[in-house]
Amino acid sequence: MSEFDNVTVTREANVYFDGKVTSRKVTFADGSYKTLGIMMPGDYTFGTEKAELMEIMAGKLSYCLKGDSQWHDIQAGESFNVPAESSFDIKIIELVDYCCTYLD
Amino acid sequence: MSEFDNVTVTREANVYFDGKVTSRKVTFADGSYKTLGIMMPGDYTFGTEKAELMEIMAGKLSYCLKGDSQWHDIQAGESFNVPAESSFDIKIIELVDYCCTYLD
């Protein structure tokens, strides 16, 4: 287990895909933020505004970045990056607990 | 939207009922803590150690406290209390976003 200290947490969740994907926003003292989220098994597509670092704390998934024909299998302890103003397809194989960092 | 400031958030989620119920722990400077969670539609039973205040930010549910034969329908903006060392049954009608405060 690890912790984020001295942060602000938004009480209300972000809910996507009928609740199969949910997340909560954590804002740091410097104004940067991350979301901590859960993805239930299923297939989803997400768009990005900022670039993102997706860290997988639990579960298994496969992802494919926009413009890439290759799917990548990853699991707990691994991560991937998504460019800004792009998108990615994701297949959740086993429930995923993730931390998404929004990069400038 | 509301926020909890100057808190510590545990990065890893708590996962129950195959992920149909998940929560994240938020710890305050005085050592007290709450969990922010999501419950997908379904029927669940939870036991308590400490007494709990369950605040419903979104969704609809019905609950029945241990030793009570009455079900209570509540929704976003409402809350209920559960005694310590007890349990409650809960039927989630529409996805629930909740805040659980653990009381001493």
Side-chain angles (χ1 to χ4, degrees):
Chain A
M1 305 293 270
S2 58
E3 295 179 335
F4 296 127
D5 293 320
N6 300 314
V7 295
T8 294
V9 177
T10 303
R11 201 174 66 133
E12 289 78 9
N14 306 305
V15 177
Y16 310 99
F17 301 106
D18 293 327
K20 295 187 74 174
V21 178
T22 57
S23 72
R24 294 186 189 273
K25 186 176 180 181
V26 178
T27 306
F28 293 77
D30 66 0
S32 66
Y33 57 94
K34 301 177 189 280
T35 51
L36 293 170
I38 296 287
M39 293 187 280
M40 306 279 287
D43 296 355
Y44 313 104
T45 299
F46 290 97
T48 62
E49 295 180 7
K50 293 188 176 192
E52 297 180 3
L53 167 64
M54 285 285 287
E55 297 174 274
I56 310 307
M57 278 103 70
K60 288 186 182 177
L61 64 87
S62 190
Y63 71 92
C64 182
L65 299 179
K66 183 179 177 182
D68 188 357
S69 57
Q70 181 84 38
W71 285 83
H72 306 272
D73 296 333
I74 65 168
Q75 59 185 324
E78 300 183 295
S79 64
F80 64 101
N81 281 274
V82 188
E85 296 180 3
S86 185
S87 69
F88 61 103
D89 297 322
I90 194 164
K91 295 177 190 289
I92 306 301
I93 313 301
E94 289 180 10
L95 182 134
V96 162
D97 183 15
Y98 71 88
C99 178
C100 180
T101 302
Y102 298 85
L103 307 168
D104 283 313
Chain B
M1 304 290 271
S2 58
E3 295 178 335
F4 297 126
D5 293 321
N6 300 314
V7 295
T8 294
V9 177
T10 303
R11 201 173 66 132
E12 289 77 8
N14 306 306
V15 178
Y16 310 98
F17 302 107
D18 292 327
K20 294 186 75 175
V21 179
T22 57
S23 71
R24 294 187 189 273
K25 185 176 180 181
V26 178
T27 306
F28 292 76
D30 65 0
S32 67
Y33 58 95
K34 300 176 190 284
T35 52
L36 293 170
I38 296 287
M39 293 187 279
M40 307 279 285
D43 296 355
Y44 313 105
T45 299
F46 290 98
T48 62
E49 295 180 8
K50 293 188 176 191
E52 298 179 3
L53 167 64
M54 285 285 288
E55 295 175 275
I56 310 306
M57 279 103 69
K60 287 186 183 177
L61 64 87
S62 190
Y63 71 92
C64 182
L65 300 179
K66 182 179 178 182
D68 188 357
S69 58
Q70 182 83 36
W71 285 83
H72 306 271
D73 296 335
I74 66 168
Q75 58 185 326
E78 300 183 295
S79 63
F80 63 100
N81 280 276
V82 187
E85 297 181 1
S86 184
S87 69
F88 61 103
D89 296 322
I90 193 164
K91 295 176 189 290
I92 305 301
I93 313 302
E94 289 179 9
L95 183 133
V96 163
D97 182 15
Y98 72 87
C99 178
C100 180
T101 302
Y102 298 86
L103 308 168
D104 283 313

